[in-house]
Amino acid sequence: EDKVVQSPLSLVVHEGDTVTLNCSYEVTNFRSLLWYKQEKKAPTFLFMLTSSGIEKKSGRLSSILDKKELFSILNITATQTGDSAVYLCAVLYNAGNNRKLIWGLGTSLAVNP
Amino acid sequence: DVKVTQSSRYLVKRTGEKVFLECVQDMDHENMFWYRQDPGLGLRLIYFSYDVKMKEKGDIPEGYSVSREKKERFSLILESASTNQTSMYLCASSVTRGVYEKLFFGSGTQLSVL
C-alpha cells in the first residue's frame, strides 16, 4: 500500500531552537517529494525534491531527500513564532498512466516565545 | 501572486441540501483540484480538472460532482449533503497539465452538515 508517514505528529519548541521534521514514504514509481506549510487554512509550497543528497534551502528552512532509505527531512533553524504551523509532506508518483499525489498527516509545530 | 479564492470560509447546511462550493483562480492555471481534509486522514483528492469541461475522479469522488465551465472557476457540488461530508474543503490550482507538484491552495471552506 502506498503511504507517506510523518513524524513526529506534533512538536513544541522554544524560539531559537532547531527542529527536524521527518517524512518517510513507500510508493512505487517515485517522481518527487514535496513540503508544504499550512498556517490557518491554506497550505503553501516550500520545496520540491527529486534527487537524493541535494539540499534545498530557503532562509532558515532546508530539506534533503534520501531515495535509498525513502525519507526526507525538513530542518528549521533558529525557529520563530511565525514558524508555528502544520508542515505537510506529499509524494508524487506514477500510477499507471496517471500521476498521483499522496499526503502525510502533517507535523504540527508550535514555537513558543 | 497567484490567488485562489474560495467563496465561503464557513458554511452550515442541512442534511439533504444541495451545496455548491466555488473556487476561482486568477493566474490562468490549467489544473484545478478539490481536496477535503479531515483529522487523522489528511488531504484526500475528490476531483480534479485539467481543462475547461474536463474532469477526472480523484480518490473519493462518491457523493460529489464538479463543474468547470470556465478556466478560472471550478465548482464542487454536493448533490445531497450528508453528515459525513462535514469537513474542510480545499481548492487548489497548478500551472499546466502534468504539473501537480506546485499547488496553490485557497483558504478553505469549513463545511458543517447538520
Side-chain angles (χ1 to χ4, degrees):
Chain A
E1 182 191 349
D2 301 312
K3 61 181 178 182
V4 173
V5 179
Q6 293 187 246
S7 63
L9 286 180
S10 65
L11 196 53
V12 181
V13 300
H14 292 290
E15 265 192 318
D17 288 351
T18 292
V19 297
T20 298
L21 310 182
N22 302 289
C23 176
S24 64
Y25 61 92
E26 290 181 28
V27 302
T28 52
N29 300 313
F30 172 91
R31 288 185 63 89
S32 59
L33 185 144
L34 306 116
W35 285 97
Y36 281 79
K37 177 182 182 182
Q38 186 173 22
E39 296 174 274
K40 296 178 183 177
K41 303 300 178 190
T44 53
F45 175 83
L46 292 175
F47 298 114
M48 181 177 79
L49 302 143
T50 55
S51 301
S52 274
I54 298 175
E55 185 183 56
K56 292 284 183 93
K57 197 169 171 64
S58 175
R60 296 174 294 101
L61 276 67
S62 63
S63 184
I64 198 159
L65 173 68
D66 186 328
K67 288 169 74 173
K68 184 179 177 185
E69 301 297 329
L70 308 183
F71 77 93
S72 173
I73 59 172
L74 175 68
N75 280 321
I76 309 175
T77 59
T79 51
Q80 302 172 356
T81 54
D83 296 326
S84 296
V86 175
Y87 290 84
L88 297 169
C89 172
V91 171
L92 184 70
Y93 63 103
N94 290 327
N97 293 327
N98 300 313
R99 294 180 196 174
K100 297 193 89 172
L101 195 59
I102 184 171
W103 295 80
L105 296 183
T107 293
S108 177
L109 174 66
V111 181
N112 292 330
Chain B
D1 276 356
V2 174
K3 192 159 186 184
V4 179
T5 304
Q6 293 183 232
S7 53
S8 307
R9 291 297 298 272
Y10 301 96
L11 214 50
V12 180
K13 296 292 180 181
R14 298 253 177 231
T15 302
E17 278 192 77
K18 191 168 186 175
V19 181
F20 292 87
L21 301 183
E22 306 286 345
C23 176
V24 176
Q25 50 94 2
D26 66 357
M27 283 301 290
D28 203 36
H29 284 179
E30 291 186 4
N31 296 331
M32 294 189 77
F33 306 81
W34 275 107
Y35 284 92
R36 62 179 283 178
Q37 187 175 29
D38 301 286
L41 295 174
L43 278 159
R44 294 180 292 167
L45 182 64
I46 305 171
Y47 267 98
F48 67 100
S49 166
Y50 53 83
D51 202 353
V52 175
K53 297 192 187 295
M54 303 299 290
K55 60 185 180 184
E56 296 279 348
K57 291 181 180 179
D59 299 316
I60 51 163
E62 298 77 20
Y64 303 94
S65 62
V66 290
S67 171
R68 193 159 180 208
E69 296 296 319
K70 293 184 179 181
K71 192 174 185 179
E72 67 270 18
R73 186 180 296 270
F74 192 35
S75 303
L76 181 69
I77 304 154
L78 287 66
E79 294 289 342
S80 178
S82 63
T83 54
N84 63 12
Q85 292 178 311
T86 291
S87 185
M88 169 63 67
Y89 290 88
L90 288 163
C91 175
S93 70
S94 67
V95 175
T96 57
R97 183 174 179 177
V99 175
Y100 302 111
E101 287 88 345
K102 190 168 183 180
L103 301 178
F104 294 86
F105 283 88
S107 295
T109 296
Q110 179 63 54
L111 173 66
S112 296
V113 183
L114 306 178

